[in-house]
Amino acid sequence: MSSTWVPDVSSETPFSLANIPFGIISTSSDPAPHVAVAIGLHVLDLKVLATHDKFTELFPALLGKENVFSEPTLNAFAALGRGVHRDVRNTIQQLLSAETTRPEILRDNEELRQKALLPQRSVKLHLPMSVGDYTDFYAGYHHAYAVGVMFRGPQNALQPNYTHLPVGYHGRASSIVVSGTPIRRPNGQILLDPTAEPKQPITGPSRRVDMELELGCIIATPNRMGSPIKVAEAEDHIFGYVLLNDWSARDIQMWEYVPLGPFNSKNFASTISPWVVLADALEPFRTKAIENKTAIQDYLKDVREDTVFDIELEVDIRTPEGDTTTISRTSSKNLMWSFPQMIAHHSLGGCPMKTGDLLGSGTISGPDPRESGSFLELSKGGKEDIMLYGMDVRRFLKDGDTITIRGSCGKAGQRVGFGECIGRIETAVPL
Amino acid sequence: MSSTWVPDVSSETPFSLANIPFGIISTSSDPAPHVAVAIGLHVLDLKVLATHDKFTELFPALLGKENVFSEPTLNAFAALGRGVHRDVRNTIQQLLSAETTRPEILRDNEELRQKALLPQRSVKLHLPMSVGDYTDFYAGYHHAYAVGVMFRGPQNALQPNYTHLPVGYHGRASSIVVSGTPIRRPNGQILLDPTAEPKQPITGPSRRVDMELELGCIIATPNRMGSPIKVAEAEDHIFGYVLLNDWSARDIQMWEYVPLGPFNSKNFASTISPWVVLADALEPFRTKAIENKTAIQDYLKDVREDTVFDIELEVDIRTPEGDTTTISRTSSKNLMWSFPQMIAHHSLGGCPMKTGDLLGSGTISGPDPRESGSFLELSKGGKEDIMLYGMDVRRFLKDGDTITIRGSCGKAGQRVGFGECIGRIETAVPL
């Protein structure tokens, strides 16, 4: 991969020429949300680029679809399919390359460049997709195991179905927000003393607000209802990936979740990163998933060896006092099920996937305790203090705490990453 | 309530002048889906009515919003709020009344009447709402108790949280279909012998496809994220009600649902009736919910006595041979939690409800076994035959079986009902 003529692209940026992630921006001169890509510290405004009279010559796949970059979400672009995403990304890389064969279009076109190439700090980032349905899986093996040990001991840590199918549940789409949106501590029903009889809950702010470090996968091409997506074809249905923080209130969860699963403990907010990294950009970073020794069903068998991505993930907490501590470092490879397997399972009974649907991996933790993707694991079920910089400690999140997730892969100068997925906990609404 | 001048309105129709339910139709002359109301055996095409030059004089609340009846879903109309729904319904009742004070608008206007008042059998009915999120509750007390007895015995039939909060889970919005849509039997993972070790599932067509008789509630007015809806204000957020059949595959459910709840066992299809009965139309049919002796939390306390509706519900099965048997008759009053309580609970932590969101009551069964809203109950967990007309029997649904749900209330000539919610089981996709 060559370098770019765009200024201020450091070797450590997650938005190298090898990436070209898509997002939704608004600017002071155009406050209507529309499509851009990120490159270093800049964004390229594709709605502005689409005004160039050579646009459809450069992007023949978008002939008749020039308005796709004026849309307030990426759904219309995603719906064009993976072949179009690939062509468009390739052409943008060509235009931004130091060896571009078409310098007159953008590099040497000062008027267009001034309008289209904008400092990232000057634009506002919006939720990139309109998410119709959100499904959260539980494919992070080490997380499922660690949490299972807490509740059922090491002998029964994993439920019998865990290695046979990618366990998942339907999440709440309406509370998905873009990075930076404040996260209000939820009120909820909590059983303070689970041993007392009769059981008597109280209503109040959750005392156990947690993060969940996840990778999110976004659907591009829908399937018809009743027509499952085969595991071998699932990649063609994927638009790209985001970082996902599936905020969780553990005390609310513990009381409400029997017998139908998590509900208010999860539906107060889920944060995604603003930039969607296209599926093609992550192709070079494939690796093996965690070995599953179970003889799995045919519809879940993937002939490929490398079905997941090795993305370095890290989580910072910043206290209200401003002290920052990195509390977790792990990799997105710590999954027992791949997204193609999740898609094949999800659609097995005929469930239609729609453009913009979000699938979460489930919490990603590594085998080492310092690789934990949740406070539940880091604090051993809320029983041990997590030491932070500045003599501070946590078991769960306090008001004013900010969680930042980062994820990227690749060599210096060619890094492919998501930027930041941030949320700050605000005080609960008074009851 | 007076009678109507519209012909062929029988005293038994669920679409009397007292009802005026809203739906989405297309016609041979206008194939773009748009808004209509039902009256007897006819529909009144509101997109056509909106072309009358006195339209905004008649419907002042729709001034500047004349296009709301040209939309392909009811969402835009629902978003206008309950006051507008009430005004619009009142004016339509006035126009269709035998004592209308404006006969020149429609009754005596043959040209408009010919175009706007159409036989129901000549129009196609579409999904009335675009459903952003679908939540299914479990508020049918007798169902929850009967199923609990099957799995845990009478001592532990209800989980400890059941009487403290309306238990619910997030469903799948993408597979909600309108009455009449064929229902494909889902393939899925099934554990044929739950006692054998190691546990070894197979993949194949569900052998235990079931119906679930439910009432659905549709949200009109959204709340801001982080701002809960109080129980006393929840009625103002409701657009109306539909019948809901939440098809379920019990064998898939049994294997998959631990620990995060039902997933593929539910997401292959949920059917709703095409006509949305407005909240105001059901007001006269309020009654008491099932008594809850638990001291509930303040945010769930409703000062009103009558918080649910007494709607007569019945379920027919028609076999492939054409024999029809009514297998259940019950009432929608068999709920322990009301929709305002469900909405207050759902939004307690800040979760945003959006226009078009669907809340299911959970399966409604009465105290008598013949009032059961699912085959799971009717067949005592799949252990006993249900006797059908024509010497036929069922424990669960066979390919070619058709389930029809009906619901209505009120006296002859003033009945308020939903019409039919129908689905026929089709053979599974070959694996």
Side-chain angles (χ1 to χ4, degrees):
Chain A
M1 178 64 59
S2 65
S3 63
T4 174
W5 52 260
V6 176
D8 306 324
V9 179
S10 83
S11 63
E12 286 309 312
T13 180
F15 307 132
S16 75
L17 191 63
N19 191 354
I20 311 295
F22 282 66
I24 295 292
I25 65 164
S26 59
T27 65
S28 54
S29 62
D30 186 357
H34 57 277
V35 179
V37 294
I39 177 79
L41 297 175
H42 287 80
V43 303
L44 177 63
D45 186 325
L46 297 183
K47 184 179 176 185
V48 172
L49 185 69
T51 62
H52 194 289
D53 58 13
K54 293 280 195 292
F55 180 73
T56 52
E57 178 205 312
L58 287 162
F59 298 94
L62 300 181
L63 186 64
K65 296 155 190 151
E66 296 81 0
N67 287 335
V68 83
F69 293 143
S70 303
E71 294 279 333
T73 68
L74 295 174
N75 290 51
F77 177 60
L80 298 178
R82 188 143 171 192
V84 174
H85 313 152
R86 183 175 296 142
D87 289 348
V88 169
R89 175 168 165 267
N90 286 344
T91 302
I92 293 171
Q93 287 176 321
Q94 234 295 311
L95 285 175
L96 297 178
S97 165
E99 286 101 49
T100 178
T101 57
R102 301 296 296 270
E104 78 284 4
I105 301 287
L106 190 62
R107 190 190 75 185
D108 301 342
N109 181 343
E110 191 178 345
E111 192 190 337
L112 184 66
R113 216 179 57 231
Q114 294 280 357
K115 284 193 284 188
L117 199 64
L118 308 167
Q120 237 183 89
R121 59 179 155 63
S122 75
V123 307
K124 182 169 157 55
L125 292 164
H126 300 265
L127 193 66
M129 312 299 303
S130 169
V131 179
D133 275 295
Y134 162 41
T135 301
D136 202 21
F137 284 90
Y138 198 49
Y141 172 83
H142 300 293
H143 169 76
Y145 183 81
V147 173
V149 169
M150 270 178 225
F151 295 129
R152 290 177 298 275
Q155 294 306 313
N156 301 301
L158 295 177
Q159 302 284 355
N161 59 12
Y162 189 84
T163 60
H164 288 280
L165 56 83
V167 169
Y169 71 101
H170 304 123
R172 179 82 190 176
S174 74
S175 52
I176 294 171
V177 294
V178 71
S179 175
T181 306
I183 304 303
R184 182 74 77 170
R185 179 182 300 273
N187 290 305
Q189 273 199 32
I190 300 164
L191 194 66
L192 289 178
D193 182 355
T195 61
E197 291 292 344
K199 297 193 191 302
Q200 182 55 54
I202 57 130
T203 302
S206 168
R207 291 136 163 93
R208 294 189 152 213
V209 171
D210 199 352
M211 62 165 186
E212 288 196 337
L213 169 62
E214 302 197 21
L215 188 64
C217 171
I218 292 167
I219 298 293
T221 307
N223 62 309
R224 264 192 316 115
M225 188 161 165
S227 295
I229 298 171
K230 292 195 169 20
V231 68
E233 294 159 8
E235 291 284 352
D236 288 336
H237 290 261
I238 296 174
F239 178 50
Y241 299 89
V242 289
L243 297 176
L244 168 63
N245 185 343
D246 193 43
W247 306 96
S248 300
R250 302 298 179 192
D251 40 5
I252 296 172
Q253 187 173 355
M254 189 54 63
W255 172 235
E256 76 176 359
Y257 92 107
V258 175
L260 298 179
F263 185 55
N264 279 355
S265 55
K266 300 280 192 170
N267 65 25
F268 60 100
S270 309
T271 303
I272 62 173
S273 56
W275 296 106
V276 179
V277 175
L278 295 192
D280 276 334
L282 284 174
E283 278 299 321
F285 309 104
R286 288 194 170 280
T287 189
K288 284 187 181 56
I290 290 175
E291 188 185 359
N292 185 351
K293 289 172 182 157
T294 299
I296 60 173
Q297 300 290 297
D298 285 346
Y299 77 93
L300 291 169
K301 285 179 185 160
D302 196 331
V303 295
R304 300 172 307 169
E305 293 235 306
D306 296 335
T307 58
V308 299
F309 303 110
D310 187 7
I311 305 167
E312 298 162 41
L313 301 169
E314 58 177 31
V315 182
D316 286 353
I317 179 173
R318 196 181 70 206
T319 63
E321 295 75 31
D323 294 323
T324 299
T325 310
T326 299
I327 49 172
S328 181
R329 279 200 182 85
T330 187
S331 163
S332 67
K333 73 182 178 187
N334 287 304
L335 301 175
M336 178 161 274
W337 300 100
S338 69
F339 282 109
Q341 288 175 314
M342 296 182 219
I343 291 169
H345 180 67
H346 202 328
S347 64
L348 174 66
C351 182
M353 310 279 109
K354 295 200 170 169
T355 303
D357 284 353
L358 176 67
L359 311 180
S361 61
T363 307
I364 301 174
S365 300
D368 187 284
R370 289 165 300 183
E371 293 183 73
S372 297
S374 71
F375 279 74
L376 186 67
E377 293 155 88
L378 289 166
S379 67
K380 316 280 187 231
K383 296 201 178 85
E384 293 182 13
D385 284 339
I386 305 159
M387 307 304 292
L388 304 186
Y389 183 86
M391 304 295 285
D392 215 345
V393 294
R394 287 291 182 280
R395 295 186 181 188
F396 292 96
L397 288 162
K398 282 192 179 174
D399 290 351
D401 284 349
T402 302
I403 291 290
T404 301
I405 301 176
R406 285 184 211 85
S408 76
C409 36
K411 290 183 296 191
Q414 299 177 30
R415 294 187 78 79
V416 172
F418 297 87
E420 295 179 331
C421 180
I422 303 185
R424 181 173 178 274
I425 305 297
E426 296 203 335
T427 309
V429 178
L431 280 171
Chain B
M1 177 65 58
S2 65
S3 62
T4 174
W5 54 260
V6 175
D8 305 324
V9 178
S10 84
S11 63
E12 286 310 310
T13 179
F15 306 133
S16 73
L17 191 63
N19 191 354
I20 311 295
F22 283 67
I24 295 292
I25 66 165
S26 60
T27 66
S28 54
S29 61
D30 185 357
H34 56 276
V35 178
V37 294
I39 177 80
L41 296 175
H42 287 79
V43 302
L44 176 63
D45 186 324
L46 298 184
K47 184 180 176 185
V48 172
L49 185 68
T51 61
H52 194 288
D53 58 13
K54 293 279 195 295
F55 180 73
T56 50
E57 179 205 314
L58 288 162
F59 298 94
L62 300 181
L63 185 65
K65 295 154 193 155
E66 294 81 0
N67 288 333
V68 82
F69 293 142
S70 303
E71 295 278 333
T73 68
L74 296 175
N75 290 51
F77 177 60
L80 298 179
R82 190 146 169 191
V84 174
H85 313 151
R86 183 175 298 144
D87 289 349
V88 169
R89 175 167 165 268
N90 285 344
T91 302
I92 293 171
Q93 285 176 322
Q94 234 295 311
L95 285 175
L96 297 178
S97 165
E99 286 101 48
T100 178
T101 56
R102 302 295 297 269
E104 79 284 5
I105 301 286
L106 190 63
R107 191 191 75 185
D108 301 342
N109 181 343
E110 190 176 345
E111 192 191 337
L112 184 66
R113 216 179 57 230
Q114 293 280 357
K115 284 193 285 188
L117 197 65
L118 308 168
Q120 237 182 90
R121 58 179 156 63
S122 75
V123 307
K124 184 169 156 55
L125 292 164
H126 300 266
L127 193 67
M129 311 300 303
S130 169
V131 179
D133 275 295
Y134 163 40
T135 300
D136 202 20
F137 284 90
Y138 198 48
Y141 172 82
H142 300 293
H143 169 76
Y145 183 81
V147 173
V149 169
M150 271 178 225
F151 294 130
R152 289 177 300 275
Q155 294 306 312
N156 301 300
L158 296 177
Q159 302 284 356
N161 59 11
Y162 188 84
T163 59
H164 287 282
L165 57 84
V167 168
Y169 71 102
H170 304 124
R172 179 80 188 176
S174 74
S175 52
I176 294 170
V177 295
V178 71
S179 175
T181 307
I183 305 302
R184 183 75 79 169
R185 179 182 300 274
N187 289 304
Q189 274 199 31
I190 300 164
L191 194 66
L192 290 179
D193 183 355
T195 61
E197 293 290 344
K199 297 192 190 306
Q200 183 54 55
I202 58 130
T203 302
S206 168
R207 290 137 164 92
R208 295 190 153 211
V209 171
D210 200 350
M211 62 166 188
E212 289 196 336
L213 168 62
E214 302 197 19
L215 188 64
C217 171
I218 293 167
I219 298 293
T221 307
N223 61 309
R224 265 192 314 115
M225 188 162 164
S227 294
I229 298 171
K230 292 196 171 17
V231 69
E233 295 160 5
E235 291 284 352
D236 287 337
H237 291 261
I238 295 175
F239 178 48
Y241 299 88
V242 290
L243 296 176
L244 167 63
N245 185 344
D246 193 42
W247 305 96
S248 300
R250 302 297 178 193
D251 41 5
I252 296 172
Q253 186 173 354
M254 190 53 63
W255 172 234
E256 77 176 359
Y257 91 107
V258 175
L260 298 180
F263 185 55
N264 279 355
S265 55
K266 301 279 193 170
N267 66 26
F268 60 100
S270 310
T271 302
I272 63 173
S273 56
W275 296 106
V276 178
V277 175
L278 296 192
D280 276 335
L282 285 173
E283 278 298 321
F285 308 104
R286 288 194 170 279
T287 189
K288 284 188 181 55
I290 290 174
E291 187 185 0
N292 185 350
K293 289 174 181 153
T294 299
I296 58 173
Q297 301 289 297
D298 285 345
Y299 77 94
L300 291 169
K301 285 180 185 160
D302 196 330
V303 295
R304 297 173 308 170
E305 291 234 310
D306 296 335
T307 58
V308 300
F309 302 110
D310 186 7
I311 305 167
E312 296 161 43
L313 302 169
E314 59 178 29
V315 182
D316 285 354
I317 179 171
R318 197 181 69 207
T319 63
E321 295 75 30
D323 295 321
T324 299
T325 311
T326 299
I327 47 172
S328 182
R329 279 199 181 88
T330 187
S331 162
S332 66
K333 72 181 178 186
N334 287 304
L335 301 176
M336 178 162 273
W337 299 100
S338 69
F339 282 109
Q341 289 175 314
M342 296 181 218
I343 291 169
H345 180 67
H346 202 326
S347 64
L348 174 65
C351 182
M353 308 281 108
K354 295 199 172 170
T355 302
D357 284 353
L358 176 67
L359 311 181
S361 60
T363 307
I364 299 173
S365 299
D368 187 283
R370 290 165 297 184
E371 293 183 71
S372 297
S374 71
F375 280 73
L376 185 67
E377 292 156 89
L378 289 166
S379 68
K380 316 280 186 230
K383 294 198 178 89
E384 293 181 14
D385 284 340
I386 305 159
M387 307 305 291
L388 304 186
Y389 184 84
M391 304 295 286
D392 214 345
V393 294
R394 289 290 182 281
R395 295 186 182 188
F396 292 96
L397 289 162
K398 283 193 179 173
D399 291 351
D401 285 348
T402 302
I403 292 291
T404 301
I405 301 175
R406 284 183 212 87
S408 76
C409 35
K411 289 184 295 191
Q414 300 178 30
R415 293 186 80 78
V416 172
F418 297 87
E420 295 179 331
C421 179
I422 303 184
R424 182 174 177 274
I425 305 297
E426 297 204 333
T427 310
V429 178
L431 280 172

